[in-house]
């Protein structure tokens, strides 16, 4: 999986001690300097959206996710929605509202991001029921959120490894989001029946608030798995002290 969001975010703080040669324009911070860390993360999104060759990091915008499943098995929305080769766009314009807990003795960390427009575009397969209507199809999809306010919070503790260096070990992570508008479009619904497909797409967008309310737990669950895997990859492989500028 090429889901490198958090590796790219935190890589902006990696010091030279990690053995990685960063671009000269890369922002680095002292531990606990929250204003600097917020700006460093912002700079990462804005300056390095196409990736960082020096670190062999993939594109941040678009961000490619090989597979993602949204499974909602109860309530008015009862679907299995499978995505493949999905591109997520919008991170290049992200507004970093908060980055807390990245301190010398970390426990709980949290991050708050606002994406003016976030789109998820790729292949899909769906089957189930949406409110009162059955739905099935396979084709291309576009799910777009406007003013998506995304909040993540995780906890952990420092752990000494065999090399004598301390690493941050993540324990639990939670995520939530809100959005001002949620647009959906699916091609080739009902085996390509245009009338049924057009009516279903119109129905989905007319009832987006009710649908999103039902889908939100499944969407959050899918994204949390992705973010957790990447955050763990960062902290398991980079000693915590090397994520920051050394003290003067």
């Amino acid at each position: 999986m090429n889901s490198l969001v958090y590796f790219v975010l935190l890589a902006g703080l990696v010091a030279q001690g990690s053995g990685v040669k960063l671009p000269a324009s890369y922002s680095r911070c002292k531990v606990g300097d929250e204003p600097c860390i917020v700006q460093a993360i912002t700079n990462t999104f804005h300056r390095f959206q196409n990736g960082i060759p020096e670190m062999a990091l993939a594109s941040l915008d678009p961000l490619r996710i090989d597979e993602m499943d949204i499974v909602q098995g109860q309530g008015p929305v009862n679907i299995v929605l499978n995505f493949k080769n999905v591109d997520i766009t919008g991170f290049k314009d992200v507004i970093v509202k908060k980055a807390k807990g990245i301190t010398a003795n970390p426990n709980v960390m949290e991050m708050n991001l606002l994406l003016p427009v976030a789109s998820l575009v790729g292949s899909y397969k769906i089957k189930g029921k949406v409110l009162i209507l059955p739905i099935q199809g396979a084709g291309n999809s576009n799910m777009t959120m406007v003013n998506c306010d995304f909040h993540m919070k995780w906890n952990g503790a420092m752990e000494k490894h065999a090399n004598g260096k301390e690493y941050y070990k993540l324990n639990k992570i939670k995520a939530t989001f809100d959005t001002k508008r949620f647009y959906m479009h699916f091609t080739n619904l009902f085996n390509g029946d245009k009338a049924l497909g057009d009516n279903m797409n119109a129905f989905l967008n007319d009832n987006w608030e009710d649908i999103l309310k039902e889908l939100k737990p499944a969407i959050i669950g899918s994204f949390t798995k992705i973010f957790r895997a990447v955050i763990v990859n960062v902290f398991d492989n980079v000693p915590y002290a090397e994520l920051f500028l050394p003290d003067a």
Side-chain angles (χ1 to χ4, degrees):
M1 180 180 293
N2 290 328
S3 308
L4 295 170
V5 172
Y6 277 90
F7 193 98
V8 176
L9 289 178
L10 294 176
L13 308 177
V14 177
Q16 292 177 350
S18 65
V20 176
K21 185 177 181 181
L22 299 174
S25 60
Y26 227 89
S27 303
R28 296 191 296 151
C29 302
K30 290 187 177 181
V31 63
D33 188 344
E34 289 185 9
C36 178
I37 291 170
V38 167
Q39 189 60 52
I41 295 171
T42 302
N43 292 345
T44 300
F45 278 122
H46 294 177
R47 295 178 184 174
F48 302 102
Q49 65 194 60
N50 296 321
I52 308 172
E54 294 90 337
M55 300 179 68
L57 293 182
S59 170
L60 178 61
D61 194 342
L63 173 69
R64 170 57 62 95
I65 296 178
D66 298 331
E67 294 183 358
M68 186 177 77
D69 298 327
I70 296 176
V71 179
Q72 177 66 21
Q74 297 179 347
V77 177
N78 190 327
I79 63 169
V80 176
L81 177 55
N82 310 115
F83 293 103
K84 287 189 176 182
N85 300 322
V86 170
D87 286 328
I88 298 178
T89 61
F91 282 104
K92 65 182 178 61
D93 299 315
V94 73
I95 298 168
V96 182
K97 298 171 65 175
K98 182 192 296 184
K100 297 184 70 67
I102 307 175
T103 62
N105 297 295
N107 180 7
V108 177
M109 298 184 183
E110 59 181 308
M111 194 171 296
N112 187 194
L113 309 174
L114 178 65
L115 282 72
V117 179
S119 294
L120 187 152
V121 179
S123 300
Y124 84 94
K125 183 176 181 180
I126 189 171
K127 186 174 182 180
K129 182 184 72 172
V130 177
L131 302 182
I132 60 174
L133 299 178
I135 184 172
Q136 63 90 12
N140 297 317
S141 64
N142 185 324
M143 299 172 68
T144 294
M145 292 182 283
V146 177
N147 287 333
C148 182
D149 198 325
F150 199 79
H151 183 265
M152 288 154 293
K153 190 172 186 178
W154 61 90
N155 64 15
M158 300 299 289
E159 182 180 84
K160 183 170 288 189
H161 286 198
N163 61 6
K165 297 183 178 182
E166 290 191 318
Y167 295 73
Y168 179 82
K169 185 172 180 59
L170 183 144
N171 183 17
K172 295 181 179 180
I173 179 171
K174 292 184 178 181
T176 60
F177 76 90
D178 289 300
T179 184
K180 297 296 185 182
R181 189 67 167 87
F182 182 49
Y183 296 97
M184 294 161 280
H185 183 77
F186 299 94
T187 69
N188 200 46
L189 287 168
F190 306 106
N191 299 315
D193 187 309
K194 187 177 187 305
L196 288 177
D198 289 348
N199 287 336
M200 176 55 74
N201 278 307
F203 177 81
L204 293 174
N205 286 285
D206 288 343
N207 296 276
W208 72 270
E209 290 179 289
D210 291 332
I211 294 169
L212 182 61
K213 180 181 178 181
E214 295 297 322
L215 286 181
K216 186 176 283 190
I219 293 174
I220 290 173
S222 295
F223 275 92
T224 299
K225 290 178 182 178
I226 295 169
F227 295 142
R228 180 182 180 87
V230 181
I231 295 171
V232 168
N233 185 60
V234 175
F235 287 123
D236 280 359
N237 289 287
V238 182
Y240 188 74
E242 294 179 8
L243 290 169
F244 308 96
L245 286 170
D247 293 332

